[in-house]
Amino acid sequence: QKEVEQDPGPLSVPEGAIVSLNCTYSNSAFQYFMWYRQYSRKGPELLMYTYSSGNKEDGRFTAQVDKSSKYISLFIRDSQPSDSATYLCAMSRPGNTPLVFGKGTRLSVIA
Amino acid sequence: EAGVAQSPRYKIIEKRQSVAFWCNPISGHATLYWYQQILGQGPKLLIQFQNNGVVDDSQLPKDRFSAERLKGVDSTLKIQPAKLEDSAVYLCASSLVGPSSYEQYFGPGTRLTVT
């Protein structure tokens, strides 16, 4: 079993739709949960992070972590064509530790 | 604030040749990471430095890969000899040490094609 599982998609939605992206994980030591966005031929950029369980909202983006189910989600409201990218979930243990990534989900928002 | 710089952006080599990638992290970031991202996959850690010391190189194929960060700033990743399966994007990332160490900032990557 991989440490982090993420459905690679692709996912195609119409402009304005609500997008739901998800990851599951197996390592209960993970405490930091991140979502990165990666445009084609670019490096990943940090979109949101959550420490431990709970929700976090930033504009059109909401991140949720359910540690009891080992399940994290990213919701995008009022999706825009500019949101078209690959979304990577990433997790880390406390301390100065590397990130463990999911495969990434490729999202296309159609105008 | 300048981001993480990497060069070259693209490299095409034949198998069994050698190649080197360079990374300059964000100023003040003590921790530097090299990740390998194969097409369709998430980045996978190759090596982590804190200042000029290696913290984690457990996933680095040491028979062909080497990396150094001599002065605790810039870093070089080398592959010698390259194999076809080394075709990937090599990403450098940096972060502060401490409570915000989870915030890693990535460079644009070097896309390597081995033919």
Side-chain angles (χ1 to χ4, degrees):
Chain A
Q1 182 186 12
K2 284 182 179 276
E3 276 193 296
V4 180
E5 300 272 9
Q6 182 177 11
D7 185 341
L11 183 62
S12 184
V13 302
E15 183 176 359
I18 296 175
V19 176
S20 172
L21 304 168
N22 312 292
C23 289
T24 59
Y25 64 96
S26 58
N27 189 342
S28 57
F30 289 142
Q31 293 286 338
Y32 292 92
F33 303 91
M34 276 70 69
W35 286 95
Y36 280 80
R37 179 173 61 196
Q38 187 173 27
Y39 290 112
S40 181
R41 299 187 180 271
K42 301 284 189 183
E45 58 173 325
L46 182 61
L47 199 57
M48 296 191 71
Y49 83 92
T50 309
Y51 173 69
S52 194
S53 280
N55 295 356
K56 189 168 186 177
E57 189 172 319
D58 184 1
R60 297 185 295 111
F61 298 88
T62 300
Q64 290 184 351
V65 175
D66 181 350
K67 291 192 72 182
S68 63
S69 302
K70 295 189 175 67
Y71 187 87
I72 72 170
S73 301
L74 177 71
F75 298 95
I76 308 174
R77 290 182 297 280
D78 187 25
S79 56
Q80 302 295 309
S82 58
D83 295 328
S84 298
T86 295
Y87 289 81
L88 296 152
C89 63
M91 309 175 189
S92 69
R93 293 173 281 110
N96 207 25
T97 59
L99 300 175
V100 180
F101 283 88
K103 280 188 174 182
T105 300
R106 178 179 282 185
L107 171 68
S108 294
V109 181
I110 310 301
Chain B
E1 177 183 84
V4 176
Q6 289 189 248
S7 68
R9 291 295 314 277
Y10 305 92
K11 191 74 177 179
I12 300 174
I13 61 172
E14 295 181 353
K15 59 184 179 183
R16 291 187 289 273
Q17 286 187 323
S18 63
V19 65
F21 313 128
W22 173 82
C23 172
N24 182 243
I26 292 173
S27 178
H29 282 195
T31 305
L32 184 148
Y33 307 83
W34 284 102
Y35 290 87
Q36 180 193 56
Q37 186 175 23
I38 292 171
L39 186 64
Q41 304 286 324
K44 185 188 81 169
L45 180 75
L46 290 174
I47 189 166
Q48 176 186 351
F49 291 95
Q50 184 169 320
N51 296 309
N52 59 352
V54 175
V55 175
D56 184 350
D57 64 355
S58 59
Q59 299 183 77
L60 187 74
K62 298 181 186 64
D63 58 334
R64 298 183 301 104
F65 286 65
S66 65
E68 59 184 14
R69 194 183 184 200
L70 291 175
K71 296 181 180 178
V73 181
D74 294 7
S75 177
T76 302
L77 177 70
K78 296 179 182 177
I79 308 175
Q80 182 179 12
K83 292 185 175 181
L84 295 176
E85 60 259 36
D86 298 331
S87 294
V89 176
Y90 290 84
L91 294 162
C92 179
S94 68
S95 71
L96 294 168
V97 175
S100 58
S101 62
Y102 62 88
E103 281 191 72
Q104 296 185 20
Y105 295 86
F106 285 80
T110 296
R111 184 175 297 269
L112 174 67
T113 302
V114 182
T115 63

